[in-house]
Every structure is written in structure tokens, then in C-alpha cells.
Amino acid sequence: MNVQTETPAVDLAAVKARQQATWSSGDYAIVGTTLQIVGETLCEAVDLRSNQRVLDVAAGNGNATLAAARRFADVVSTDYVGALLERGRERAAAERLPVTFQEADAENLPFPDRRFDVVLSTFGVMFTADQQRAANELLRVCRVGGKIGLANWTPDSFVGNIFKTIGKYVPPAPGVKSPALWGTEAHLAALFGPRASIAAKSKHFNFRYKSREHLLEIFRTYYGPVLKAFGALDADKQQALAADMLALVDRFNTATDGTLVVPGEYLEVVITRNG
């Protein structure tokens, strides 16, 4: 006798609420600022021009935002964590760059269809709960012939392995798709389909810290997903997670002088919206 069981529907609203709380914890800007070069190279990848209207989605503390504004584009920076937008606002003010900052959900962008020439997201939209809805929104607000530029960690990257390590101690909700799927061309093709032409290349960002312990301290204190994972565990499991993360760092570290250089693979993606 075959017994069929139904997979329970994923409560994406609840998942999003937990994710928003996660990214609101700690201070992602401490980690995010080190990733500035990714925003710069992404703007070059989309061949950004000064006369373009640009939207940065899930902008965090504004790496792609600032990169686009430095190229004299008309930039709107959005995130659903207001504190992160404030960090971006402070950075733009320090450089006297004109940027519009607006709280917004990547899955429900408050902008008209085809409003922007370029839509950007660096390690941001990949963490949305409803991945298909987020992809649809990126396409919707991008004009025909416009470009969507993404930087997404790959499944086997250093960051991808951080999430796998965390998952051993704090498993994700059943049925929730891994954010690292955005770092694969096959998944991007499924998300964006025939509505877009996709060009992607593997790139590496080097995490540079004083030591393995320094990286763990920064991530454990400021990077929301790691901070929340440690906070959910008792003392013994916290110690075990710390040991596993240090072992992971050792596996990726290429420095031999006592410091730390960890290459983090990501997929640099340029999507052109078709008519």
C-alpha cells in the first residue's frame, strides 16, 4: 500500500519576517563595507552610463548605490532594513553624492513598470524568501532593453559553505530554497526565463582579515545570519559551531604570513530584459 504525504506549504511571509529580523540584527555594514569593490566592478559589467536611472535592490549599506552615484547616474537605493539604508545615506553624504534612499521590499517594489534603465543587487536579492516573485519584480521595473546586474554567492563558495555549516546547527525552514541557488546559471535561467538574456561569469572577492579569529569575531558579532545562529545555540553547540567555522576558514585561507585571505567565489550576472 502506497501512502502519499503532502509537503506542507512554506509560509513565505513568516520566512520573510525571520529574515528581516536576521538582517536587522548585528551591523551588516561592518562586513558590507569591505565588499565595495564588487559594486564597482558590477557597474562596469553593466556598462553603466551617467544618463541612466538606476535602482539598487536590497542595497544594504549601499555598495552598488555609491558605485553608480560615482558614475553620475540617477540612483534610488532600497532595502527593507532601515538601519542599513541609514548607513548608505551617511556614506553618500560624506562623499556628497546625490542619492534617493527609500525603504522597500524586493518582492514588492513601489515603482512603476519599466521605470529604470539599470537594476542592481549585490549579495542582496538572492536572500529573498520568494525568489520567483523577486525575480519578477526586477524584470518588471526594468525597461525593455535595460540591464539587471547581480552579484550572487555560489553554492560552493566560502559564504555558501558558511550557510551550509550554520545549517548543521540551525536547519532552515523545510521547503525554503537556498539563496545560493542564485549563484547558478541554471537557476537564474529558470527564474528569468525567456524574458531575459543572461550572461554570467565566475569571479572572486577576497575576504582580508587580520586572522582566522578576527574574521570569526566580526561575522559572529555583526553578520546577522551568523549572529542569529550562535544566539540560538547553547554554550556547547556554540563552541562546536565556532570550531567548524574556524576549520572552514582554514580550508579556504590562502595567506601564509599569519593574516587571512579567503577567496569568495560569486557569480557576476548581467541580464538584459527582452521585449
Side-chain angles (χ1 to χ4, degrees), residues 254-274:
T254 61
T256 58
D257 60 355
T259 65
L260 184 130
V261 179
V262 169
E265 185 187 34
Y266 69 95
L267 203 65
E268 182 183 80
V269 186
V270 177
I271 301 169
T272 302
R273 180 183 167 179
N274 297 331

Side-chain angles (χ1 to χ4, degrees), residues 238-260:
Q238 285 186 20
Q239 187 174 1
L241 175 56
D244 280 354
M245 287 198 61
L246 288 174
L248 175 65
V249 172
D250 288 340
R251 177 154 65 91
F252 278 85
N253 186 20
T254 61
T256 58
D257 60 355
T259 65
L260 184 130

Side-chain angles (χ1 to χ4, degrees), residues 152-155 180-189 267:
N152 303 324
W153 300 118
T154 63
L181 288 172
W182 284 75
T184 66
E185 293 187 56
H187 189 62
L188 292 173
L267 203 65

Side-chain angles (χ1 to χ4, degrees), residues 3-12 172-177:
V3 178
Q4 295 183 343
T5 59
E6 294 185 2
T7 302
V10 180
D11 186 347
L12 292 175
V176 174
K177 294 179 180 178

Side-chain angles (χ1 to χ4, degrees), residues 180-253:
L181 288 172
W182 284 75
T184 66
E185 293 187 56
H187 189 62
L188 292 173
L191 286 175
F192 292 94
R195 298 170 293 175
S197 301
I198 302 172
K201 64 173 65 174
S202 172
K203 301 197 73 171
H204 287 82
F205 168 81
N206 288 314
F207 292 90
R208 298 177 184 270
Y209 286 82
K210 297 177 181 179
S211 65
R212 62 205 286 268
E213 292 80 12
H214 181 223
L215 182 145
L216 177 59
E217 176 190 359
I218 293 295
F219 273 65
R220 183 172 179 171
T221 305
Y222 299 111
Y223 190 62
V226 178
L227 170 64
K228 283 288 190 179
F230 274 98
L233 303 174
D234 61 30
D236 288 342
K237 289 184 177 180
Q238 285 186 20
Q239 187 174 1
L241 175 56
D244 280 354
M245 287 198 61
L246 288 174
L248 175 65
V249 172
D250 288 340
R251 177 154 65 91
F252 278 85
N253 186 20

